[in-house]
Amino acid sequence: MPKAALVYISLLICCAGIAYKVSTWFRYSLGSAKFTVPSRVSAAAGGMWETLLSRQFLTLLKTFFLNVLFQARLLRVAPLKWATHFLILGGFTMLLLMHALGDYLNPLIFSNYYSTLNPFLFLRNFFGVLVFIGLGIALFNRFIRRDPARPPTSFMDVYTLAIFAAIIVSGIVLESVKITSVSVFREMTDEYATGQDEASLKSLEAYWVENYGVVSPGVARPFSLESLAEGKDVHSVNCAQCHSPARWAFMDYAVSRLLTPVAVYLDGDAVRSTLYYVHFFICLFGLAYLPFSKVFHLFTSPICLLANAVMDRAHSNPANLMTKQILELDACTHCGTCTRNCSMAFIHRIIPNANILPSERLASLKLLASGQELSVRDSLVIQDGLNLCTNCKQCTLVCPVGINLQDLWFSVRETLVGRDIPNLLVLSPLSIYRGMRKDDIEITCYSRPISQARKAIADEFDSSRQPRTVYAPQEEKVLDMAGIHHLGQNGCADCFRCMTCTNACPIVRTHEQPGSELDLLPHQLMQAVKLRLWDLVFSSKMLWECLGCYKCQEYCPMGVPATDLIFALRNVAISRTSRNIFQKTLETL
Ligand code: HEC
Ligand code: SF4
Ligand code: SF4
Ligand code: SF4
Ligand code: SF4
């Protein structure tokens, strides 16, 4: 198959892959809102058009130069990474332009382009070395320095380093084998040194062995000065116009010196074409697989940086915000900066759930966004990791790609709590952030998980279903606190229903019909505990609406620890119910 056909096929696979990826940005969804694909496409087109025609265009320009080209965000948070990134990306881009596409692009720019002449010969090696240094630093940091704060290395991280290294190494080996090849030398002399007699050809060969790294069994060192001088003459007439000294290709030349002892065995069309095709196929594979690999961030990260520069929750179309979030999943480079700065990452040392780390959580979200049915276990694992996030926003502030991680976590929480597994954390203070962003959630989507969680707890303590006589140690403690075991020592047992607590309670005051809206008023709650009416206690809204202000406890004339009790009751409810939900859902696996 001709080479061009292979290149076109790889390019086609690459383009099809990109088209597929782009289509997922509009098909996949996160969060509680629902949009059709056409409405998202048209919202995106409209949004882009509007931005381009508005003053925000200047912001885009600024972001492009500062953060896309110069990578200022990355420089700020991780200078060494910035340097590594620049070496690899810069070096590789130049190789792509000057070498892979060199024969097409360079003649358009340089009048005297020739791949074997300086500066091109030198530059090709120079850019290769840049990539090598960058890869070296990256490998050192990842595998030798072993920073404990770095998230675990994924297959994609290894692939990315490996594909760049393989392309460069295979190229260098190919070039260095060519440098030593006496048969290429003979082909060249046949073509360009026609009409030279046998003796001058021998001198030319001596000159090339001495100065250009050719390894030939036909001529033997030491060469006489006259022979070298004659060779130089023949060279300058026939070869010099196309060949700068091979030493300028310093990497290829150095490797060719190492190959000298085996060069004669490597000299053959079969070896050269094998090496050539190895290099060629690695490049084509890299190209075809690009949209499915981490290298794809070359496209997605700039788009993400630009989108986040002009989009925000207050002004942008919600459909576009969702599309942007799916794009963000592709834009993540798994650089680990978020994890390094996450205020909750240390917990990962105790609980080995990778989803605690923002960088790893992001990776496991792709499946969730694709709408595929996650196994219950997978959902719970993501949810457990996410539940520890404190919304501190550190991750968002440092992400070099500008991913708005905090918004992403919000959408993921909504996706997860919108499912049928009750999530008790919607009742906890950790869900304050969710309450603060209530306006971003449709009202039914907001309240459904809350009623679902309350119902799960009420069911758990419904004595008609499962009469409970045995109490877990934690529950015993609550009973103890309630003073049930030791009458008359500042527990509920002391309560004489004076209603001071209810009168002091700010939550009671916010309700027009507190009696029916809260199920139990604080003093009734205390009474219900005293009488062990667990159904009433745990199904009451009061238990979950209490904001823990301690007014009731402060004013109670009998010193009933009302607020402490409410917290303790919540803990019992959550721990017992979640344990059982967990068990039940695992049983359904
Ligand atoms: C018209 C320009 C031109 C002339 C004249 C020319 N060469 Fe080359 N030569 C090339 C190119 C281009 C390559 C690289 C071919 C490739 O990469 O496949 C090359 C490659 C070689 C190589 C393989 C090593 C390498 O650097 O890739 C040798 C050896 C070589 N030439 C020897 C000679 C000798 C000896 C002469 C003089 C008799 C000569 N060439 C004249 C263009 C030329
Ligand atoms: S989210 Fe941002 S900071 Fe975190 S790994 Fe991805 S690119 Fe890096
Ligand atoms: S917002 Fe959450 S994930 Fe991000 S740094 Fe803070 S705790 Fe970690
Ligand atoms: S203030 Fe104290 S004694 Fe009065 S009803 Fe409330 S808990 Fe009971
Ligand atoms: S701690 Fe709770 S029950 Fe007590 S007064 Fe405050 S809000 Fe009301």
Side-chain angles (χ1 to χ4, degrees), residues 114-116 175 178-179 181 184-185 188-189 192-193 204 208 214 238-239 241-243:
Y114 223 89
S115 67
T116 44
E175 285 299 325
K178 273 193 344 203
I179 287 180
S181 163
V184 175
F185 171 83
M188 282 273 156
T189 48
Y192 296 111
L204 180 64
W208 271 69
V214 173
N238 298 289
C239 320
Q241 72 268 34
C242 294
H243 282 283

Side-chain angles (χ1 to χ4, degrees), residues 11-45:
L11 208 56
L12 205 71
I13 298 177
C14 178
C15 291
I18 293 178
Y20 168 77
K21 278 287 187 174
V22 172
S23 81
T24 64
W25 301 345
F26 297 98
R27 289 189 289 120
Y28 292 179
S29 60
L30 272 180
S32 58
K34 304 261 177 295
F35 303 100
T36 60
V37 175
S39 71
R40 280 169 68 181
V41 174
S42 75

Side-chain angles (χ1 to χ4, degrees), residues 501-511 547 549-552:
C501 48
T502 297
N503 288 329
C505 176
I507 290 295
V508 171
R509 255 177 280 148
T510 58
H511 286 268
L547 47 78
C549 70
Y550 276 92
K551 280 260 183 288
C552 48

Side-chain angles (χ1 to χ4, degrees), residues 111-125:
S111 53
N112 58 345
Y113 172 71
Y114 223 89
S115 67
T116 44
L117 276 179
N118 274 337
F120 310 101
L121 182 69
F122 166 75
L123 283 179
R124 200 165 62 225
N125 275 254

